[in-house]
Amino acid sequence: MTALVRRAVAELVGTAFLVAAVVGSGIAAQRLSPGDTGLQLLENSVATGAVLVALILALQPVSASFNPVVTLVERTLGRVDTPTAAALVVAQLVGGLLGVVVANLMFDLDAVSVSGHERGGSGQLLGEVVATVGLVLVVFGTLRSPRIETVAFAVGGYIAAAYWFTSSTSFANPAVTVARMFSDTFAGIDPGSVPAFVLMQLLGGVVGAALVVLLHPTPQEA
């Protein structure tokens, strides 16, 4: 098995588990805490942050971006080449779709159900930019730490917190965003809301990459 195939499989599996955790914990939260949105969000955010720590620790030796924005920033910084970046993004998108189907089926729902949860407005769109800028800074800042294992805890902690301090509840990931429109549950997003969210995430990635270059001008080897 080539190195690229191994990386693509790691990204597919990692993104699938991430989406399954996001959607699955959202469904569980709805059922365990009906009528209490704040508690549902707490349960959802804790599960998401924890699974990110575990997945990054487990898959980082192979590949552990799980996010097209992070992969595109890696390409911008020269950490991966264009064919590799393209393969990883495709794997992330496929993994996200697989994860949402599995999450729906685990909770005895239809494999696919189109979400009717509309999200948007200037505040939430700004929230997506902020969430993604912060994620890029956390990822690439901690990658420059002499203790590489800190990346997992930093990213998991940041996302768990960003669920709360951003108005959009911090999707910050195009693959996860696309996948979440196929579950009409707590974590879902209406398909009409997806393009604007993804555009803001890409904008956040550009701003985040610029800040990384400004703050860390010395290139880091992949």
Side-chain angles (χ1 to χ4, degrees):
M1 184 181 293
T2 67
L4 179 56
V5 171
R6 290 174 58 244
R7 293 189 68 174
V9 170
E11 291 292 336
L12 188 152
V13 171
T15 310
F17 269 101
L18 173 59
V19 171
V22 172
V23 174
S25 64
I27 297 169
Q30 276 186 313
R31 296 181 179 181
L32 293 170
S33 308
D36 192 336
T37 306
L39 185 54
Q40 291 170 5
L41 184 62
L42 177 62
E43 293 159 350
N44 196 203
S45 63
V46 169
T48 302
V51 83
L52 269 170
V53 172
L55 290 172
I56 294 171
L57 285 174
L59 295 175
Q60 193 172 44
V62 183
S63 188
S65 297
F66 317 140
N67 187 331
V69 167
V70 173
T71 298
L72 291 174
V73 174
E74 286 185 299
R75 175 64 193 93
T76 300
L77 299 178
R79 290 176 56 85
V80 296
D81 59 24
T82 299
T84 298
L88 298 186
V89 168
V90 170
Q92 291 156 359
L93 290 168
V94 173
L97 296 175
L98 177 62
V100 75
V101 168
V102 170
N104 287 334
L105 291 175
M106 283 195 298
F107 288 90
D108 296 320
L109 301 174
D110 291 339
V112 172
S113 58
V114 178
S115 177
H117 190 171
E118 294 184 8
R119 302 175 188 262
S122 59
Q124 289 197 17
L125 294 179
L126 175 60
E128 276 303 285
V129 176
V130 171
T132 311
V133 170
L135 177 61
V136 170
L137 286 175
V138 168
V139 168
F140 292 96
T142 51
L143 278 173
R144 284 159 171 77
S145 166
R147 296 181 58 192
I148 197 69
E149 71 274 10
T150 61
V151 176
F153 299 100
V155 172
Y158 174 80
I159 290 297
Y163 262 64
W164 291 90
F165 77 75
T166 64
S167 55
S168 63
T169 65
S170 184
F171 282 52
N173 184 329
V176 171
T177 304
V178 170
R180 285 169 67 167
M181 70 181 178
F182 294 109
S183 184
D184 191 18
T185 58
F186 179 78
I189 179 172
D190 178 81
S193 304
V194 169
F197 262 54
V198 171
L199 180 61
M200 293 303 103
Q201 291 158 5
L202 293 174
L203 176 59
V206 170
V207 175
L211 286 173
V212 169
V213 171
L214 176 65
L215 296 172
H216 303 281
T218 303
Q220 184 187 39
E221 295 297 326

